[in-house]
Amino acid sequence: MNVRFRISRFKSGDRKRRFESFELEVELGATVLDALLAIRRLLDPSLVVRHSCMHASCGTCGVRVNGREVLACDTKIAGLPAGKPILVEPLRGQRPVADLATDMVDFYARFDAAGLPLVRAAEVPAGTEPPDGIKAFGRFENCIECGLCLSACPIARWSHSYIGPAALAAAARVVAEPRSLGLGPVLALAGEHDSVWRCRDAMQCTAVCPSAVDPAGALLDLRRHVAAGGLKRLFGRGAKLA
Amino acid sequence: MKERLRHTAKRLTTNDRSEDGGRPSRERTDDGPRVPRPKRARSAAVAPSGVARSAAGAAPILPPESGAPHVLIVGGGGTGGALAHDLTLRGLRVTVVERGEITSGTTGRHHGLLHSGARYVTTDRAAAIECSAENKILRRICPGSFEENDGLFVAITDEDAAYEKRFLEACWECAVPSRRIEREEALRMEPGLNPELRFAIQVPDATMDAMRMPLRFFATARCNGADIRPFTEVVAVTMAGRTVSGVRVRDRSADREYEIGADIVVNAAGPWAGRVAALAGVTVPVAPSPGVMVAVRGRLCNMVVNRLHSPGDGDIVLPQRQLTVVGTSSWLVDDPDDLAIAPEQVEAIVRGSAELVPAVAKAEIRAAWSAARPLIGGSGAGSGGSTGSGGSTGSGAAGGAAGRELGREWQCFDHATDKTPAQGFVTVAGGKATTLRAMAEGTADVVCAKLGLVRPCSTNDVVLFPHSAWYSA
């Protein structure tokens, strides 16, 4: 099918962004990333786009398609409204590199503060026994560090002191499964600048998350822990949150 | 109109400045292309915040050696990253240029298997032995980057079962630890296995995040002074006579061209190595051999599940976060940028994998994609002077249709010994994601020998920074 794209363009040194249109023939199962790479290969080699794994596991190809944060590799063109040009823009709230690429430095400055290890305990069916030499099955955390939630969050967009949904979800994961980490620093982080209380439940983070992290839900859990910690400080160890 | 004039003026000044011709200085702080320019991370910013993720503090911060020879690496995949890390530890000045994002070629797309070596014990012993050794080293220097759940080779048919003796003997000969597991025990480990299995063999396979593990090499190399430039495409190799003096690159983030001088240029462009070599007027026998992989929703196993037979299509199932990745196939192409997938290939892979883990057949497909392996062989085989070595040369069969018959070995070609030589130009090609460190060691040995330096490799023991250090300001 023939599809028209309107792509946000920007090069280092440019004063402002502009849009450029491209038309190309795509196959039925093609994704937005397939199309962007075809545009780079066939129409304009100067198009800058980040990508790596091609299957929604690395989190590098986050963009906004028709105003919505998505992974380009995970967005089928056939699922988008037909007959209208497809608008592709970079994520918000990150420093621009060029065209659709953004620098994830600000994302990681927030995310890393939670200190979430990459590997977590894997869920296993009842009765499962790991093999000789393996204590317990492990697996990578769900969060693929793509930054879609941070771009979609209306609070993080306007306030840089708010550490945002990905970092708070990471903190909640540390609380849920501390591994060898102490909970003090991570709860302090969540309480800092009233982080957990600034969320206004827009739920955009959970809506755009491509990896079922559910930052909004994680944040609610974290609020309970932070509140419980606060009450303990006020009323001593015996206090319980109703 | 006004806007256009201003734009033109800007371009001219940019061009003026960009003709730097000489060696890039890492201290250069002009306002040229902004972000892809590496920011040398401060060690404080990099130290993992009280995380079990790694003992990254073990990686030394070396002062850059002024006047040290400058090596330019073309290609920001796993090989280029590991080589940059190795060479900076040996005290050389290093620049990496990559036309797209780091790990956007073959590296980021593979299925994420940290090979135990077992997959190649009967077909490519040298590759198997090397994988077995590198598997242990990578676990040591990249702690926290692997799902260390081991792997199984599963026998389902009589034919598979008959393969057992040969397989176990070959594992033993290649130093790949292996252990026979009876059917019931295997099903207790992995309830999702095909219940018709006869038995399984446990091997130390693991899975990795195909992007984040190699990113640790880049992060550490940059902290040690390497200059890593994504979105920077080589458009020409500059030469004085038959001696390479550097490269001309196009910076895609600022749309400008400039030159970078170098004492040695290393072509680590993977399946694109042939194109880069052509810029220097030499050939390399690299055959881009794509493989299709499919990710389905749901984590259907925790261990790597392989079919107990010689490597073929649709015979591996790997867990990855909440997905299951199944693969793979193999054929040969000319253009590594054009890897169209036929729906039949996806069906065949899903069908084959479902014989191992039946739930794959019913799971929703999340993505199907392909990646081009940079196999050695095909046209032009033997034209390069082979120096470093990852093992025996494969069959070298040219014009094979599938690429399965080509070995998984890697080679380092010093083009100074070609019939039409290119002095100061080296290509490293072939190999596996699992062997990236070994490829870097062998290539760095060649580079140092060419520069007349005796500097031992130390990447065996240097624990790498976590992947997030790559993104530190």
Side-chain angles (χ1 to χ4, degrees), chain B residues 30-50:
Chain B
D30 62 54
D31 57 352
R34 46 164 309 287
V35 171
R37 167 78 44 80
K39 290 140 291 198
R40 184 111 46 90
R42 296 181 302 271
S43 53
V46 160
S49 40

PDB file of all heavy atoms in Angstrom, chain B residues 30-50:
ATOM      1  N   ASP B  30      34.756  22.500  20.098  1.00  0.00           N
ATOM      2  CA  ASP B  30      34.025  23.428  19.241  1.00  0.00           C
ATOM      3  C   ASP B  30      32.553  23.046  19.263  1.00  0.00           C
ATOM      4  O   ASP B  30      32.160  21.983  19.716  1.00  0.00           O
ATOM      5  CB  ASP B  30      34.582  23.409  17.822  1.00  0.00           C
ATOM      6  CG  ASP B  30      34.436  22.054  17.174  1.00  0.00           C
ATOM      7  OD1 ASP B  30      33.307  21.527  17.144  1.00  0.00           O
ATOM      8  OD2 ASP B  30      35.443  21.522  16.721  1.00  0.00           O
ATOM      9  N   ASP B  31      31.740  23.950  18.758  1.00  0.00           N
ATOM     10  CA  ASP B  31      30.303  23.706  18.869  1.00  0.00           C
ATOM     11  C   ASP B  31      29.780  22.919  17.686  1.00  0.00           C
ATOM     12  O   ASP B  31      28.676  23.127  17.232  1.00  0.00           O
ATOM     13  CB  ASP B  31      29.563  25.029  19.014  1.00  0.00           C
ATOM     14  CG  ASP B  31      29.858  25.950  17.850  1.00  0.00           C
ATOM     15  OD1 ASP B  31      30.753  25.597  17.028  1.00  0.00           O
ATOM     16  OD2 ASP B  31      29.240  26.989  17.744  1.00  0.00           O
ATOM     17  N   GLY B  32      30.591  22.061  17.128  1.00  0.00           N
ATOM     18  CA  GLY B  32      30.207  21.233  15.987  1.00  0.00           C
ATOM     19  C   GLY B  32      29.021  20.338  16.313  1.00  0.00           C
ATOM     20  O   GLY B  32      28.163  20.719  17.084  1.00  0.00           O
ATOM     21  N   PRO B  33      28.970  19.180  15.758  1.00  0.00           N
ATOM     22  CA  PRO B  33      27.801  18.334  15.971  1.00  0.00           C
ATOM     23  C   PRO B  33      27.674  18.067  17.459  1.00  0.00           C
ATOM     24  O   PRO B  33      28.653  17.728  18.103  1.00  0.00           O
ATOM     25  CB  PRO B  33      28.167  17.042  15.234  1.00  0.00           C
ATOM     26  CG  PRO B  33      29.642  17.072  15.115  1.00  0.00           C
ATOM     27  CD  PRO B  33      30.043  18.503  15.065  1.00  0.00           C
ATOM     28  N   ARG B  34      26.474  18.240  17.976  1.00  0.00           N
ATOM     29  CA  ARG B  34      26.421  18.214  19.430  1.00  0.00           C
ATOM     30  C   ARG B  34      26.406  16.822  20.043  1.00  0.00           C
ATOM     31  O   ARG B  34      27.423  16.261  20.340  1.00  0.00           O
ATOM     32  CB  ARG B  34      25.316  19.074  19.984  1.00  0.00           C
ATOM     33  CG  ARG B  34      23.971  18.910  19.298  1.00  0.00           C
ATOM     34  CD  ARG B  34      22.872  19.495  20.136  1.00  0.00           C
ATOM     35  NE  ARG B  34      22.948  18.990  21.508  1.00  0.00           N
ATOM     36  CZ  ARG B  34      22.633  17.777  21.870  1.00  0.00           C
ATOM     37  NH1 ARG B  34      22.290  16.894  20.967  1.00  0.00           N
ATOM     38  NH2 ARG B  34      22.664  17.427  23.130  1.00  0.00           N
ATOM     39  N   VAL B  35      25.295  16.201  20.146  1.00  0.00           N
ATOM     40  CA  VAL B  35      25.222  15.129  21.110  1.00  0.00           C
ATOM     41  C   VAL B  35      26.035  13.877  20.827  1.00  0.00           C
ATOM     42  O   VAL B  35      26.615  13.324  21.741  1.00  0.00           O
ATOM     43  CB  VAL B  35      23.755  14.790  21.386  1.00  0.00           C
ATOM     44  CG1 VAL B  35      23.647  13.551  22.221  1.00  0.00           C
ATOM     45  CG2 VAL B  35      23.122  15.970  22.082  1.00  0.00           C
ATOM     46  N   PRO B  36      26.101  13.425  19.587  1.00  0.00           N
ATOM     47  CA  PRO B  36      26.832  12.170  19.378  1.00  0.00           C
ATOM     48  C   PRO B  36      28.263  12.258  19.884  1.00  0.00           C
ATOM     49  O   PRO B  36      28.872  11.255  20.159  1.00  0.00           O
ATOM     50  CB  PRO B  36      26.811  11.998  17.867  1.00  0.00           C
ATOM     51  CG  PRO B  36      25.627  12.772  17.422  1.00  0.00           C
ATOM     52  CD  PRO B  36      25.523  13.937  18.362  1.00  0.00           C
ATOM     53  N   ARG B  37      28.771  13.466  19.988  1.00  0.00           N
ATOM     54  CA  ARG B  37      30.096  13.640  20.572  1.00  0.00           C
ATOM     55  C   ARG B  37      30.110  12.992  21.936  1.00  0.00           C
ATOM     56  O   ARG B  37      29.256  13.247  22.774  1.00  0.00           O
ATOM     57  CB  ARG B  37      30.347  15.146  20.679  1.00  0.00           C
ATOM     58  CG  ARG B  37      31.528  15.521  21.536  1.00  0.00           C
ATOM     59  CD  ARG B  37      32.800  15.315  20.797  1.00  0.00           C
ATOM     60  NE  ARG B  37      32.690  15.820  19.431  1.00  0.00           N
ATOM     61  CZ  ARG B  37      32.810  17.099  19.114  1.00  0.00           C
ATOM     62  NH1 ARG B  37      32.997  17.999  20.044  1.00  0.00           N
ATOM     63  NH2 ARG B  37      32.741  17.472  17.871  1.00  0.00           N
ATOM     64  N   PRO B  38      31.064  12.139  22.155  1.00  0.00           N
ATOM     65  CA  PRO B  38      31.079  11.462  23.446  1.00  0.00           C
ATOM     66  C   PRO B  38      31.363  12.441  24.566  1.00  0.00           C
ATOM     67  O   PRO B  38      32.143  13.363  24.406  1.00  0.00           O
ATOM     68  CB  PRO B  38      32.229  10.479  23.305  1.00  0.00           C
ATOM     69  CG  PRO B  38      33.088  11.083  22.259  1.00  0.00           C
ATOM     70  CD  PRO B  38      32.173  11.789  21.316  1.00  0.00           C
ATOM     71  N   LYS B  39      30.703  12.205  25.644  1.00  0.00           N
ATOM     72  CA  LYS B  39      30.994  12.989  26.825  1.00  0.00           C
ATOM     73  C   LYS B  39      31.780  12.068  27.732  1.00  0.00           C
ATOM     74  O   LYS B  39      31.309  10.997  28.058  1.00  0.00           O
ATOM     75  CB  LYS B  39      29.707  13.422  27.511  1.00  0.00           C
ATOM     76  CG  LYS B  39      28.963  14.453  26.716  1.00  0.00           C
ATOM     77  CD  LYS B  39      27.486  14.205  26.747  1.00  0.00           C
ATOM     78  CE  LYS B  39      27.121  12.974  25.977  1.00  0.00           C
ATOM     79  NZ  LYS B  39      25.730  12.900  25.613  1.00  0.00           N
ATOM     80  N   ARG B  40      32.960  12.447  28.064  1.00  0.00           N
ATOM     81  CA  ARG B  40      33.745  11.606  28.957  1.00  0.00           C
ATOM     82  C   ARG B  40      33.058  11.598  30.303  1.00  0.00           C
ATOM     83  O   ARG B  40      32.875  12.623  30.928  1.00  0.00           O
ATOM     84  CB  ARG B  40      35.159  12.168  29.077  1.00  0.00           C
ATOM     85  CG  ARG B  40      36.063  11.327  29.898  1.00  0.00           C
ATOM     86  CD  ARG B  40      37.126  10.670  29.044  1.00  0.00           C
ATOM     87  NE  ARG B  40      37.734  11.601  28.109  1.00  0.00           N
ATOM     88  CZ  ARG B  40      38.805  12.325  28.389  1.00  0.00           C
ATOM     89  NH1 ARG B  40      39.354  12.269  29.570  1.00  0.00           N
ATOM     90  NH2 ARG B  40      39.337  13.091  27.484  1.00  0.00           N
ATOM     91  N   ALA B  41      32.669  10.442  30.688  1.00  0.00           N
ATOM     92  CA  ALA B  41      31.915  10.372  31.936  1.00  0.00           C
ATOM     93  C   ALA B  41      32.843  10.588  33.114  1.00  0.00           C
ATOM     94  O   ALA B  41      33.965  10.101  33.127  1.00  0.00           O
ATOM     95  CB  ALA B  41      31.235   9.028  32.047  1.00  0.00           C
ATOM     96  N   ARG B  42      32.354  11.326  34.057  1.00  0.00           N
ATOM     97  CA  ARG B  42      33.105  11.422  35.307  1.00  0.00           C
ATOM     98  C   ARG B  42      32.897  10.122  36.062  1.00  0.00           C
ATOM     99  O   ARG B  42      31.820   9.557  36.029  1.00  0.00           O
ATOM    100  CB  ARG B  42      32.575  12.581  36.144  1.00  0.00           C
ATOM    101  CG  ARG B  42      32.766  13.926  35.497  1.00  0.00           C
ATOM    102  CD  ARG B  42      32.221  15.008  36.411  1.00  0.00           C
ATOM    103  NE  ARG B  42      30.814  14.785  36.691  1.00  0.00           N
ATOM    104  CZ  ARG B  42      29.833  15.252  35.945  1.00  0.00           C
ATOM    105  NH1 ARG B  42      30.105  15.945  34.857  1.00  0.00           N
ATOM    106  NH2 ARG B  42      28.576  15.021  36.270  1.00  0.00           N
ATOM    107  N   SER B  43      33.915   9.690  36.728  1.00  0.00           N
ATOM    108  CA  SER B  43      33.768   8.396  37.386  1.00  0.00           C
ATOM    109  C   SER B  43      32.668   8.438  38.433  1.00  0.00           C
ATOM    110  O   SER B  43      31.971   7.480  38.661  1.00  0.00           O
ATOM    111  CB  SER B  43      35.089   7.973  38.014  1.00  0.00           C
ATOM    112  OG  SER B  43      35.556   9.006  38.840  1.00  0.00           O
ATOM    113  N   ALA B  44      32.473   9.605  39.051  1.00  0.00           N
ATOM    114  CA  ALA B  44      31.443   9.700  40.084  1.00  0.00           C
ATOM    115  C   ALA B  44      30.065   9.487  39.477  1.00  0.00           C
ATOM    116  O   ALA B  44      29.212   8.841  40.064  1.00  0.00           O
ATOM    117  CB  ALA B  44      31.500  11.058  40.760  1.00  0.00           C
ATOM    118  N   ALA B  45      29.888  10.027  38.271  1.00  0.00           N
ATOM    119  CA  ALA B  45      28.576   9.911  37.647  1.00  0.00           C
ATOM    120  C   ALA B  45      28.317   8.479  37.219  1.00  0.00           C
ATOM    121  O   ALA B  45      27.192   8.048  37.103  1.00  0.00           O
ATOM    122  CB  ALA B  45      28.498  10.834  36.446  1.00  0.00           C
ATOM    123  N   VAL B  46      29.384   7.764  36.993  1.00  0.00           N
ATOM    124  CA  VAL B  46      29.258   6.437  36.417  1.00  0.00           C
ATOM    125  C   VAL B  46      29.086   5.367  37.485  1.00  0.00           C
ATOM    126  O   VAL B  46      28.426   4.374  37.279  1.00  0.00           O
ATOM    127  CB  VAL B  46      30.512   6.148  35.569  1.00  0.00           C
ATOM    128  CG1 VAL B  46      30.683   4.673  35.347  1.00  0.00           C
ATOM    129  CG2 VAL B  46      30.385   6.870  34.246  1.00  0.00           C
ATOM    130  N   ALA B  47      29.659   5.643  38.636  1.00  0.00           N
ATOM    131  CA  ALA B  47      29.605   4.624  39.677  1.00  0.00           C
ATOM    132  C   ALA B  47      28.164   4.216  39.900  1.00  0.00           C
ATOM    133  O   ALA B  47      27.308   5.055  40.125  1.00  0.00           O
ATOM    134  CB  ALA B  47      30.194   5.179  40.965  1.00  0.00           C
ATOM    135  N   PRO B  48      27.862   2.937  39.783  1.00  0.00           N
ATOM    136  CA  PRO B  48      26.483   2.506  39.928  1.00  0.00           C
ATOM    137  C   PRO B  48      26.019   2.830  41.339  1.00  0.00           C
ATOM    138  O   PRO B  48      26.717   2.531  42.297  1.00  0.00           O
ATOM    139  CB  PRO B  48      26.551   1.003  39.685  1.00  0.00           C
ATOM    140  CG  PRO B  48      27.967   0.625  39.920  1.00  0.00           C
ATOM    141  CD  PRO B  48      28.806   1.836  39.652  1.00  0.00           C
ATOM    142  N   SER B  49      24.844   3.420  41.427  1.00  0.00           N
ATOM    143  CA  SER B  49      24.408   3.948  42.715  1.00  0.00           C
ATOM    144  C   SER B  49      24.058   2.817  43.671  1.00  0.00           C
ATOM    145  O   SER B  49      22.913   2.436  43.805  1.00  0.00           O
ATOM    146  CB  SER B  49      23.217   4.867  42.509  1.00  0.00           C
ATOM    147  OG  SER B  49      22.367   4.311  41.527  1.00  0.00           O
ATOM    148  N   GLY B  50      25.041   2.278  44.276  1.00  0.00           N
ATOM    149  CA  GLY B  50      24.841   1.240  45.279  1.00  0.00           C
ATOM    150  C   GLY B  50      24.168   0.008  44.711  1.00  0.00           C
ATOM    151  O   GLY B  50      23.325  -0.601  45.330  1.00  0.00           O
TER     152      GLY B  50
END
